[in-house]
Amino acid sequence: MKNWIGHQTNTHRITVTSKEISAFATSILLEDPVYFDQNVAKASNYIDIPLPYTMPITFWKHFDIPWLDSIDGLVHTNQSFTYYQPLVANRTYSCHLELNDVSHKVRDNSCMTFLPHTLSIFYENELQATSKTTLLLLEGRE
Amino acid sequence: MNHTTFSIGEEISYLEVKPITQKHIDYYANASGDNNSIHLNTEAAMRLGFPKPVVHGMWAMGLLNTLLHQSFSHAYHLVSMETSFTKPIFVGDHLYVSAKVQEMSGSQLTIKVTGLNQHDDTILKGNIVVIGGDK
């Protein structure tokens, strides 16, 4: 696994529709009309309907991630998002995912392997947001 | 802009979901594309040692979007949001999430978020940093 540190996935171009945003917003109990109505979004100074802040996690489904190919039972331990610009519907973002590190900790005689990743989201070559995800691999599953 | 309307330690938002239902999780799985059977199927969860389907941590973190909208008008910019998932949450559990002001510096506000289950176990904790938020 250590050999994969620093590897990136291929870059994917990802466009999120307003319908996908509405469905995601509903699923996390968001009722604010800014996520459902383009006119409300524009009146709130967005170019189009904004993505809920945690929605970039759904971008993971677009990637083939070779270092996670044969692994099952991962636990999601930490998650962060940093925004430089809001993400909006109907824009095509260029995104890639990188494995930042592989670190081990021993607790209660169990070895835990932490796999921090960074998803970088660009629009017209400018970084718009990053999403950092740490996955935990329990002993014996690597 | 200064946050003269807030005080350190003030609870600015609170949200509860009781109970979390399989319908919540099925809907999130469909909307997010995370259809891992551990979230959707009791037998799959039990095979990994869990008593019930495990709620997506990202569903719980998603509720922080709602907390922010309850707290502020749209006149704010989210700088960052960070969460640790400290314990699994299961379908049928209750979730209580609160947001308290931790730090104020000029136009920047740091909010501490905590999620508890019905046993008062902390299941998520983290921070949100916004600029320009107002009551």
Side-chain angles (χ1 to χ4, degrees):
Chain A
M1 179 63 85
K2 287 258 186 194
N3 294 340
W4 288 105
I5 294 173
H7 273 69
Q8 290 183 1
T9 62
N10 292 331
T11 297
H12 279 262
R13 291 167 59 79
I14 297 172
T15 309
V16 182
T17 66
S18 51
K19 191 176 170 187
E20 289 169 324
I21 293 173
S22 299
F24 187 85
T26 301
S27 77
I28 54 172
L29 315 182
L30 264 176
E31 295 176 346
D32 193 294
V34 76
Y35 296 108
F36 299 90
D37 185 330
Q38 192 185 56
N39 292 327
V40 174
K42 288 185 172 176
S44 301
N45 295 320
Y46 292 106
I47 289 166
D48 206 322
I49 294 176
L51 274 67
Y53 299 118
T54 56
M55 193 170 180
I57 197 68
T58 67
F59 292 8
W60 274 62
K61 67 188 173 197
H62 295 279
F63 296 106
D64 290 321
I65 309 170
W67 55 88
L68 298 182
D69 257 356
S70 56
I71 295 176
D72 200 11
L74 289 162
V75 179
H76 191 173
T77 61
N78 293 80
Q79 179 64 44
S80 69
F81 298 92
T82 301
Y83 278 89
Y84 307 101
Q85 295 291 333
L87 305 180
V88 293
N90 303 312
R91 270 194 170 176
T92 300
Y93 294 101
S94 297
C95 309
H96 66 259
L97 191 60
E98 178 177 339
L99 177 65
N100 304 122
D101 195 12
V102 176
S103 63
H104 303 283
K105 281 185 186 172
V106 176
R107 195 164 69 190
D108 299 332
N109 293 322
S110 257
C111 181
M112 301 183 292
T113 301
F114 292 89
L115 307 172
H117 296 74
T118 300
L119 168 67
S120 300
I121 303 167
F122 293 84
Y123 178 68
E124 294 182 343
N125 297 319
E126 276 192 31
L127 185 63
Q128 308 290 294
T130 58
S131 160
K132 291 181 184 289
T133 302
T134 301
L135 302 175
L136 166 63
L137 174 64
L138 298 170
E139 186 179 32
R141 285 179 176 163
E142 188 172 1
Chain B
M1 182 188 297
N2 288 306
H3 292 285
T4 52
T5 51
F6 294 110
S7 55
I8 302 289
E10 177 184 352
E11 182 171 77
I12 56 172
S13 192
Y14 175 79
L15 186 152
E16 57 186 35
V17 182
K18 52 178 194 177
I20 303 167
T21 65
Q22 189 63 54
K23 192 176 171 187
H24 286 126
I25 299 318
D26 290 348
Y27 202 105
Y28 181 79
N30 192 43
S32 68
D34 183 350
N35 292 298
N36 189 321
S37 58
I38 194 174
H39 304 301
L40 306 174
N41 180 289
T42 301
E43 287 74 31
M46 290 178 81
R47 276 198 295 275
L48 288 172
F50 299 112
K52 293 178 182 178
V54 179
V55 172
H56 302 81
M58 287 307 302
W59 176 80
M61 189 176 185
L63 299 180
L64 304 183
N65 291 278
T66 304
L67 281 186
L68 283 172
H69 282 287
Q70 285 178 357
S71 308
F72 307 118
S73 66
H74 290 297
Y76 74 92
H77 167 66
L78 181 115
V79 176
S80 63
M81 173 185 267
E82 181 177 4
T83 300
S84 299
F85 305 109
T86 51
K87 276 197 164 191
I89 328 168
F90 303 107
V91 169
D93 280 355
H94 297 185
L95 178 59
Y96 308 90
V97 190
S98 70
K100 292 181 178 177
V101 176
Q102 187 173 48
E103 191 180 324
M104 294 183 289
S105 176
S107 61
Q108 184 166 298
L109 192 65
T110 303
I111 302 159
K112 180 182 178 182
V113 292
T114 308
L116 304 176
N117 65 12
Q118 68 275 23
H119 306 298
D120 273 345
D121 298 323
T122 302
I123 53 88
L124 70 84
K125 57 184 179 182
N127 291 292
I128 300 172
V129 178
V130 299
I131 289 178
D134 238 339
K135 275 183 180 175

